[in-house]
């Protein structure tokens, strides 16, 4: 059953739509500003032309200023029939000459040759105005004549609205077209994922052939990861099958032997024979218990190597902790332990429990297969700046060179006299390999076994 979540396609389309909406809002503000300025420029030019036409008709005659109002100038402003036009002419003495009285002037206005555009309210109407001046140089009238010509803003607003809404309609069309193209593009781009999903539905994880490679660069890593994961799964399943078969055989053999000893013991009436059989039953039960513990330990370290997140481990502290437990458990024996660490800063990224199990197995093996007065020496030292070595020497019989590879295999006993499960060194090798280390067996100067573990240091602080 598919876990409820969100649609990648829907997320892409929604986020694209939100981004385009934001762009649309920004563009709309820009279009509105452009429409307003375009309307102002158009109508301001009409006001300027009309004001200049009026000023050109200002003359001086017989010491008086005359104005022959050119109605053609005002007719230019009639292009906006719904608007009202107001004008006022101020003579060179700054007195009202003609037109509407008291039309507002620009703030701090001083007459000059350039037109000055401004807005003001007059008689309850919002006006756009121009103030235009003309300098008279006649002897009878010397100074600036100014005209203030204004027009209500209805036509301006209509023109601005027309520009704005036309542009908005175009933008909306582009937005909708873009969204449709984005939807088609996203759908097309995600088709390989749908195809891959269909292949996975009909593809068994235990099949020994990989998914077909894809030429799509973005999908290729996913296909590679799936194939790699499948191969790991198949390898783990194969390993588990072999392990379960071997474990089943070992357990059945031990139980069979135990059952045989019980049957013989039940059939004997000799107390000495009974005692001997019970001792063998006890030995086999101990062997079976050790086998069960080692099987659980092997399953534990295998599972943890696949699932646990590595953590920084101070191997010196770990060694001291394990050794303390072992020495305490064998304090009543003649076995001597020594520990020397000349590398106090040996840290690595790994699993503390697995490493602890591996070290404990090595020490248990050294004790189990060594003499009663065994000398077990443990050394922790640097190999290189990036690696360190754990070395464990015992005084036991050692392992011949030709049998060392065999000794690392599961359920392998090098001698019929030994009673081990054959899993101790296999567990150690599994843990060492999971930590990218190297396990080697050799013979020391005393003839005993030397186990050397080479591990990489952690570069993290």
């Amino acid at each position: 059953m598919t876990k409820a979540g969100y649609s990648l396609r829907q997320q892409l389309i929604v986020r694209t739509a939100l981004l385009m909406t934001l762009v649309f809002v920004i563009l709309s503000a820009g279009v509105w500003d452009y429409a307003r300025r375009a309307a102002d420029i158009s109508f301001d030019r009409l006001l300027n032309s009309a004001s200049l036409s009026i000023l050109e008709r200002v003359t001086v005659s017989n010491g008086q200023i005359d104005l022959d109002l050119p109605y053609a100038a005002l007719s230019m402003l009639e292009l906006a029939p719904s608007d009202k036009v107001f004008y006022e002419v101020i003579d060179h003495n700054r007195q009202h000459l003609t037109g509407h009285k008291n039309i507002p002037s620009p703030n701090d206005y001083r007459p000059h040759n350039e037109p000055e555009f401004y807005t003001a309210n007059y008689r309850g109407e919002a006006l756009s105005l121009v103030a235009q001046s003309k300098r008279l140089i006649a002897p009878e009238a010397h100074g600036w004549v100014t005209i203030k010509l204004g027009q209500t803003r209805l036509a301006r607003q209509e023109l601005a609205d027309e520009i704005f809404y036309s542009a908005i309609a175009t933008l909306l069309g582009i937005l909708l077209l873009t969204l449709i193209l984005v939807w088609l593009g996203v759908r097309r781009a995600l088709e390989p994922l749908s195809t891959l999903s269909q292949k996975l539905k009909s593809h068994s994880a235990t099949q020994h052939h990989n998914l077909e490679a894809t030429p799509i660069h973005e999908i290729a890593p996913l296909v590679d990861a799936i194939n790699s994961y499948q191969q790991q799964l198949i390898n783990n399943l194969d390993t588990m099958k072999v392990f379960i078969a071997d474990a089943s055989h070992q357990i059945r053999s031990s139980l069979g032997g135990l059952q045989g000893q019980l049957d013989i013991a039940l059939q004997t009436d000799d107390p000495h024979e009974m005692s001997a059989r019970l001792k063998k039953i006890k030995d086999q039960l101990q062997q079976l218990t050790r086998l069960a513990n080692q099987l659980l330990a092997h399953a534990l370290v295998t599972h943890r190597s696949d699932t646990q997140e590595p953590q920084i481990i101070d191997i010196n502290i770990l060694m001291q902790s394990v050794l303390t437990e072992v020495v305490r458990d064998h304090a009543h024996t003649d076995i001597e332990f020594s520990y020397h660490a000349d590398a106090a800063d040996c840290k690595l990224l790994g699993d503390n429990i697995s490493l602890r199990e591996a070290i404990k197995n090595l020490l248990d093996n050294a004790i189990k297969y060594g003499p009663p007065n065994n000398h077990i020496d443990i050394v922790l030292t640097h190999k290189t700046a990036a690696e360190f070595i754990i070395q464990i020497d015992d005084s036991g019989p050692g392992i011949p060179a030709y049998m060392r590879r065999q000794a690392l295999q599961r359920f392998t006993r090098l001698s019929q006299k030994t009673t081990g499960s054959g899993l101790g060194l296999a567990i150690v090798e599994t843990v060492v390999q999971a930590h990218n280390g190297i396990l080697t067996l050799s013979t020391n100067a005393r003839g005993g076994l030397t186990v050397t573990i080479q591990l990489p240091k952690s570069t993290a602080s």
Side-chain angles (χ1 to χ4, degrees):
M1 183 176 180
T2 304
K3 184 180 179 181
Y6 62 87
S7 166
L8 180 60
R9 177 185 303 159
Q10 184 178 4
Q11 288 286 318
L12 289 173
I13 294 175
V14 169
R15 293 185 181 187
T16 303
L18 291 176
L19 178 61
M20 295 190 66
T21 301
L22 177 62
V23 174
F24 174 76
V25 171
I26 295 173
L27 288 177
S28 297
V31 168
W32 169 248
D33 181 68
Y34 167 78
R36 185 177 54 80
R37 285 189 295 107
D40 284 342
I41 290 173
S42 298
F43 281 89
D44 285 347
R45 285 175 179 173
L46 289 176
L47 283 176
N48 189 37
S49 298
S51 64
L52 288 174
S53 296
I54 294 172
L55 282 179
E56 287 176 354
R57 303 301 292 269
V58 174
T59 59
V60 179
S61 176
N62 298 324
Q64 298 292 326
I65 297 177
D66 292 332
L67 173 60
D68 183 10
L69 188 64
Y71 290 99
L74 297 179
S75 65
M76 289 189 294
L77 301 178
E78 291 177 355
L79 294 175
S82 57
D83 279 321
K84 299 177 183 177
V85 177
F86 301 90
Y87 75 97
E88 180 181 13
V89 178
I90 306 296
D91 65 10
H92 63 291
N93 293 320
R94 311 309 300 161
Q95 298 298 317
H96 173 80
L97 180 61
T98 184
H100 302 82
K101 288 186 177 179
N102 301 322
I103 292 180
S105 299
N107 294 330
D108 302 326
Y109 179 73
R110 293 180 181 277
H112 53 85
N113 291 323
E114 297 298 326
E116 189 163 333
F117 300 96
Y118 61 103
T119 59
N121 288 322
Y122 181 68
R123 295 183 180 178
E125 302 280 357
L127 301 180
S128 291
L129 301 109
V130 61
Q132 185 73 265
S133 296
K134 175 183 177 182
R135 188 178 185 85
L136 299 178
I137 55 175
E140 303 87 353
H142 184 79
W144 290 94
V145 177
T146 301
I147 180 172
K148 293 179 284 185
L149 179 60
Q151 186 183 29
T152 55
R153 298 179 56 84
L154 295 178
R156 291 173 184 250
Q157 190 62 47
E158 290 175 359
L159 178 59
D161 289 346
E162 182 179 352
I163 295 173
F164 175 72
Y165 289 121
S166 297
I168 289 299
T170 304
L171 287 175
L172 281 175
I174 295 174
L175 176 63
L176 291 176
L177 178 61
T178 305
L179 283 177
I180 293 173
L181 293 176
V182 168
W183 180 75
L184 292 174
V186 169
R187 185 177 179 182
R188 176 72 176 171
L190 295 179
E191 275 186 0
L193 288 178
S194 299
T195 304
L196 181 60
S197 299
Q198 294 300 324
K199 289 182 178 178
L200 284 175
K201 285 181 180 178
S202 58
H203 187 84
S204 172
T206 57
Q207 289 179 348
H208 285 269
H209 64 270
N210 294 333
L211 291 173
E212 295 180 1
T214 173
I216 303 174
H217 296 304
E218 290 78 8
I219 304 297
L222 176 61
V223 174
D224 292 341
I226 292 173
N227 288 334
S228 176
Y229 179 79
Q230 180 191 12
Q231 190 58 49
Q232 291 181 25
L233 180 61
I234 291 173
N235 293 339
N236 289 339
L237 286 175
D238 291 343
T239 303
M240 190 61 67
K241 289 177 182 176
V242 174
F243 177 75
I244 291 174
D246 291 343
S248 300
H249 173 72
Q250 294 295 325
I251 291 174
R252 289 195 185 99
S253 298
S254 297
L255 290 175
L258 187 60
Q259 183 65 47
Q261 294 295 335
L262 282 172
D263 291 341
I264 294 174
L266 290 174
Q267 294 174 3
T268 184
D269 296 328
D270 184 356
H272 297 289
E273 179 69 14
M274 175 67 77
S275 177
R277 292 299 173 186
L278 289 176
K279 184 176 183 306
K280 288 184 178 180
I281 291 172
K282 179 182 178 183
D283 293 341
Q284 288 199 333
L285 186 60
Q286 290 177 342
Q287 184 178 350
L288 182 60
T289 302
R290 177 177 173 78
L291 174 62
N293 290 333
Q294 292 292 70
L295 286 173
L296 292 174
H298 187 279
L300 175 68
V301 299
T302 303
H303 171 72
R304 293 184 69 87
S305 66
D306 293 335
T307 59
Q308 291 299 307
E309 289 293 332
Q311 56 185 333
I312 296 179
I313 300 169
D314 189 327
I315 202 67
N316 184 38
I317 295 176
L318 175 67
M319 294 292 295
Q320 292 179 14
S321 174
V322 176
L323 190 57
T324 300
E325 291 182 10
V326 174
V327 171
R328 180 193 58 204
D329 294 342
H330 296 81
H332 60 285
T333 68
D334 295 330
I335 301 174
E336 294 184 2
F337 297 89
S338 70
Y339 176 61
H340 175 70
D342 63 356
D345 59 342
C346 289
K347 297 180 181 178
L348 77 162
L349 273 175
D351 177 42
N352 186 65
I353 293 179
S354 297
L355 287 169
R356 188 181 190 86
E357 186 68 28
I359 300 301
K360 195 168 187 305
N361 268 281
L362 289 177
L363 293 176
D364 286 345
N365 277 353
I367 295 168
K368 182 178 181 64
Y369 299 113
N373 59 344
N374 201 352
H375 290 264
I376 300 175
D377 303 319
I378 304 106
V379 176
L380 175 63
T381 183
H382 288 290
K383 177 176 177 59
T384 64
E387 295 174 314
F388 62 88
I389 287 176
I390 301 170
Q391 181 174 310
I392 300 177
D393 294 323
D394 62 39
S395 302
I399 298 176
Y402 68 93
M403 298 182 70
R404 288 170 188 164
R405 186 63 257 171
Q406 183 182 356
L408 298 177
Q409 296 177 359
R410 293 194 301 267
F411 306 114
T412 299
R413 297 186 182 90
L414 303 181
S415 172
Q416 295 299 323
K417 298 179 180 178
T418 58
T419 59
S421 65
L423 280 172
L425 287 177
I427 291 173
V428 176
E429 187 177 43
T430 300
V431 173
V432 172
Q433 290 177 347
H435 290 80
N436 301 316
I438 300 173
L439 172 68
T440 56
L441 306 178
S442 59
T443 303
N444 57 45
R446 301 195 300 268
L449 180 67
T450 295
V451 180
T452 304
I453 299 175
Q454 179 180 328
L455 291 168
K457 285 185 179 178
S458 169
T459 56
S461 58

